[in-house]
Amino acid sequence: MQVTRIGDFEVRRLVEFEGPYVAPDVFFPDYEPGALREHPDMAGPGLIDPATGKLVFSFHCFIVKTGHHTILIDSCIGNEKERPMRPQFHRMRSSFLADLATAGVRAEDVDFVMCTHLHWDHVGWNTRLENGRWVPTFPNARYIMARREFEHWQGAQQRAEETPHRYAFEDSVLPVVRAGQSVLVDDDYALDDGFWFEAAPGHTPGNVVIHVRSRDDRAVFLGDVLHHQFQLMKPEWSTLACTDRELSRRTRVRLIEEHAEAGTRLLPGHFPAPTAGRIVRRGGGYRFAFEHP
């Protein structure tokens, strides 16, 4: 399991699935096949599956041990979830909890679950099935969610929208609220341990990135601001999953420029191993320089 250190904090990446996921021309509505011919290095190992031509995605969470708290950032896909519109993950069964235990964390040990947004593939393990009911997976945790994000998906649920995110809201968000374990916060929420939210709307209305600082070291958990390294080559490419593609583009361009300038360590939500790295300028554009353990 990949380990990254941020000052005194230990970060482990726990993968639920990593592999070919979706064709680039499906995922990116503005996809240009010629872009790969212009930038052949972008099709290097681990970016596109040579057998299928699909983008390689990782679906993972991050476990942060601060010395005071154990914090889980996003919670992957989940077991037994009804996801008929995502057949690859419909009623999935993974070893997530066993893998968590291998990392030295029991479900009871998690103090906070922090959500960058409430899409189906980021909230699945918020809950687990127990005697036919969805209950919080982490019984002692407070689940931190942006209020604006919650209200958006609450509206989608009330309108009975046919989307996997509405299903996820019903089976992976509302049970946490009913259990009294949710904390709805403003976009600039901060946790004493050195974590704070920054609004990053576009992919979803209440999307946030999560900043972390320990001593003089700093990193940002990017969630879905960047899904794939292609978006550094083409920052204007938003995805079919973005609620507001133009706002998503503006947010992404702003954060790419800001963090390339600062040299910030970044941990995106779907980059395959080794995942952590920095944005660097190259040839009039940007690339992702991975950190290798």
Side-chain angles (χ1 to χ4, degrees), residues 91-150:
R91 298 179 183 173
M92 191 173 77
R93 295 191 62 83
S94 77
S95 58
F96 182 91
L97 289 179
D99 295 340
L100 189 69
T102 299
V105 178
R106 301 172 304 158
E108 295 81 5
D109 297 333
V110 176
D111 299 296
F112 297 96
V113 176
M114 303 184 80
C115 304
T116 61
H117 63 299
L118 301 182
H119 272 175
W120 66 274
D121 54 323
H122 291 258
V123 299
W125 276 104
N126 282 4
T127 60
R128 59 183 177 82
L129 198 59
E130 182 179 87
N131 299 322
R133 294 176 57 248
W134 295 110
V135 301
T137 301
F138 309 103
N140 300 317
R142 308 297 286 171
Y143 289 72
I144 313 298
M145 311 172 194
R147 182 179 291 104
R148 185 157 53 126
E149 180 75 353
F150 177 86

Side-chain angles (χ1 to χ4, degrees), residues 118 147-160 166 169 174 177 184:
L118 301 182
R147 182 179 291 104
R148 185 157 53 126
E149 180 75 353
F150 177 86
E151 290 173 350
H152 171 78
W153 294 113
Q154 184 179 47
Q157 189 259 344
Q158 291 170 347
R159 293 187 298 272
R166 190 260 290 181
F169 188 82
L174 285 181
V177 175
L184 301 182

Side-chain angles (χ1 to χ4, degrees), residues 17-23 46-59 88-89 272:
F17 170 84
E18 184 169 308
Y21 175 56
V22 63
L47 295 183
I48 293 185
D49 177 60
T52 63
K54 292 182 176 181
L55 302 172
V56 174
F57 269 39
S58 174
F59 293 80
Q88 188 174 359
F89 304 109

Side-chain angles (χ1 to χ4, degrees), residues 68 125 156 234 265 280:
H68 301 288
W125 276 104
K234 292 287 187 179
R265 179 185 296 167
V280 296

